[in-house]
Amino acid sequence: MISDRTTRSTIVKLPRAASSVIPSPATGRRLRLKEPGAAKGCFDGAWWPRSRDPVTEFSALVTTLTADFGRVDRIGFNPAAWDLAPDRLAHGPDLVRLAGFSGLQQHTIVVIGPRIHHLTLLMIPPEADPLAAERALSVTSAADTTDSAQLILGSSGITGPT
């Protein structure tokens, strides 16, 4: 289980469109990862951000993952699912590259780092009903789940029937 941690820093504009990690509510139970050895399927876990602001939400995600797995180098996302994002996010002495890929499924986040390698997360829409989001978090992080985003979100009641 991922622990509940936050960082105390301020937003600072850095050269070349980078933003600093900002204080934001801890990710806490909004991030669930599968246990080691679980079937990977489409996802390694699920994340339910509070908003579509990439600086705030990616800051919380980076802070939580860094505390448990070490440095995060890159976050890949579909730009249609988020507000405008900077190219980089400063996290202490490290820069996290934020890469928008329109070919990436809208409800998918990919996190890469030296110890993370390639973590694929189902991104639950921030406006999802809390009970439906909880169902999606639980289903996605279950050891035997190999379903697609469409199936998980549909069966959890977040999107229309699949």
Side-chain angles (χ1 to χ4, degrees):
M1 186 66 56
I2 299 298
S3 57
D4 199 7
R5 296 184 174 104
T6 59
T7 179
R8 295 183 189 268
S9 56
T10 57
I11 194 165
V12 177
K13 287 288 185 186
L14 298 175
R16 300 176 56 180
S19 293
S20 289
V21 168
I22 61 170
S24 56
T27 306
R29 298 212 20 99
R30 289 176 167 256
L31 174 65
R32 305 246 185 97
L33 300 178
K34 290 183 175 186
E35 294 296 324
K40 177 173 167 118
C42 295
F43 301 103
D44 298 300
W47 175 47
W48 182 29
R50 289 176 169 82
S51 73
R52 292 187 185 276
D53 174 45
V55 173
T56 301
E57 300 305 331
F58 292 157
S59 291
L61 183 63
V62 167
T63 298
T64 301
L65 290 173
T66 299
D68 292 330
F69 298 104
R71 190 177 81 236
V72 171
D73 292 332
R74 181 179 302 259
I75 297 177
F77 60 96
N78 184 313
W82 295 91
D83 295 341
L84 188 60
D87 293 342
R88 289 176 298 285
L89 191 66
H91 186 258
D94 301 320
L95 283 178
V96 179
R97 293 197 181 278
L98 303 180
F101 297 102
S102 57
L104 192 61
Q105 288 187 353
Q106 188 170 4
H107 298 287
T108 302
I109 299 290
V110 177
V111 182
I112 298 171
R115 288 182 41 214
I116 297 171
H117 301 293
H118 189 270
L119 186 69
T120 305
L121 300 174
L122 171 68
M123 193 273 294
I124 299 167
E127 64 277 0
D129 173 77
L131 291 175
E134 177 60 36
R135 283 191 297 272
L137 284 163
S138 294
V139 166
T140 308
S141 61
D144 59 347
T145 298
T146 58
D147 293 339
S148 68
Q150 182 181 5
L151 260 161
I152 294 168
L153 295 174
S155 66
S156 298
I158 294 172
T159 60
T162 56

